[in-house]
Amino acid sequence: MDLKHFSFAALVLVVSSGLAIADPLPSWKGTEAKERIIAFVESVTDPASEDYITPADRIATFDNDGCLWTEQPVYFQLLYALDILKQKAEADPSILSSDVLKAAAAGDMEGMMAGGEEGLLEIINVSHGDITVDAFEASAYEWLTTATHPTTGKTYASMIYQPMLELLSYLRDEDFTTYIVSGGGIDFIRAISQEAYGIPPSQVVGSQGNTSYQVVDGVPVLQKDGGISFIDDKEGKPVGIIRHIGQRPIFAAGNSDGDFQMLEYTMAGEGARFGMLVHHTDGEREFAYDRDSHVGQLNRGLDEGPDRGWLIVDMANDWKTIWPE
């Protein structure tokens, strides 16, 4: 029996015959959120449905920070940058050429943040520059899989959301192609995307620094030169999507107002569409934040999302578990 597409009557027949149907989203509670996701996927994958969409057009995009893995107390990439800056400063204290860099190396978050965006860019330039892309990705992978979070004690790579892993797998099982579209650095995410999410590096869209081609000792390399050449956030996300993917998604998921334009762009296409925001409501198992958060701020999405037909996932009420056991 073909169980990929079936009606309610067929479901009754299967259940009455004693056959079990695997739950594609076992870590999701049986709430409206889970029902809406499954209903959408079934409608666009059933050839008999008026909402049917061919596999080639089943593109799904996901933000990373706060959508696929934790983003508190600050973005993981910033914590990585601070650790690398400290290591470099121990070897060569002269690199701490500004008050912002000195504050960052000393762990003075208030002093570091006082430098604003220019200060953060300075930290990125020192910590992410003068290294090949391959060496950077190896460094990022080692840090993500060995360094531990300050409050959970888990490695950063293990703080991915189990319900979202199931959603990614479910979509791929139904012939969707899944992409990450993140404001985070593209090389940082590519270092772990295949192992963490089953998403190959070629399906990662992110912010990019300046990169150059060089031949060093006869070996061609790509060198990270610091600076920022593209910011894949807010209005930049639809731009990154069309540059890297080349077509509009039919499914988009995020968690903050930085994802608003990606969902807005996705939902503006013809045919069936799905927009989803993960709302961090679980202060006991993870972190509770939205409107006033210093990262992952969610205002416009909460105010406008429901009227636009977007699903607002309530982490505390819709998820049975947070991270993989």
Side-chain angles (χ1 to χ4, degrees), residues 62-288:
F62 291 79
D63 175 50
N64 187 51
D65 295 305
C67 181
L68 296 181
W69 71 21
T70 300
E71 62 182 355
Q72 296 283 357
V74 294
Y75 299 125
F76 291 175
Q77 189 169 358
L78 178 57
L79 295 174
Y80 165 79
L82 295 178
D83 279 357
I84 297 300
L85 176 65
K86 292 174 185 177
Q87 293 175 19
K88 288 188 172 183
E90 289 176 359
D92 180 11
S94 68
I95 68 170
L96 303 179
S97 56
S98 71
D99 290 340
V100 168
L101 292 175
K102 292 175 183 177
D108 177 7
M109 298 296 286
E110 184 176 351
M112 179 189 74
M113 297 305 292
E117 291 186 5
E118 290 185 5
L120 292 176
L121 180 58
E122 193 173 5
I123 294 169
I124 293 296
N125 284 342
V126 174
S127 62
H128 288 44
D130 193 27
I131 186 173
T132 67
V133 171
D134 289 343
F136 175 84
E137 290 188 357
S139 170
Y141 177 84
E142 179 181 11
W143 184 87
L144 284 165
T145 55
T146 59
T148 55
H149 190 272
T151 61
T152 68
K154 296 177 177 288
T155 61
Y156 293 101
S158 68
M159 292 182 68
I160 52 182
Y161 299 135
Q162 177 65 27
M164 298 303 285
L165 291 179
E166 293 168 4
L167 177 54
L168 288 170
S169 179
Y170 175 41
L171 292 175
R172 289 193 290 263
D173 286 346
E174 296 294 338
D175 295 325
F176 280 73
T177 304
T178 54
Y179 291 82
I180 293 174
V181 179
S182 172
I186 192 169
D187 298 322
F188 186 77
I189 301 169
R190 283 175 170 174
I192 198 73
S193 64
Q194 180 68 61
E195 181 173 310
Y197 307 123
I199 295 178
S202 60
Q203 289 166 212
V204 174
V205 183
S207 297
Q208 300 175 47
N210 297 311
T211 305
S212 62
Y213 174 82
Q214 300 179 21
V215 178
V216 180
D217 297 329
V219 179
V221 297
L222 290 171
Q223 189 82 6
K224 292 178 70 68
D225 298 325
I228 298 292
S229 61
F230 177 69
I231 298 178
D232 189 56
D233 195 35
K234 300 178 180 177
E235 294 87 352
K237 289 203 170 189
V239 176
I241 287 171
I242 205 65
R243 284 182 178 178
H244 288 263
I245 304 175
Q247 63 187 104
R248 192 190 305 258
I250 67 166
F251 187 111
N255 74 290
S256 75
D257 285 345
D259 304 309
F260 191 95
Q261 288 80 5
M262 177 172 71
L263 269 68
E264 185 176 52
Y265 173 67
T266 297
M267 299 299 285
E270 296 181 358
R273 305 274 154 173
F274 199 92
M276 179 182 115
L277 290 169
V278 175
H279 187 194
H280 290 262
T281 57
D282 199 326
E284 292 187 6
R285 297 183 297 175
E286 202 232 15
F287 303 92

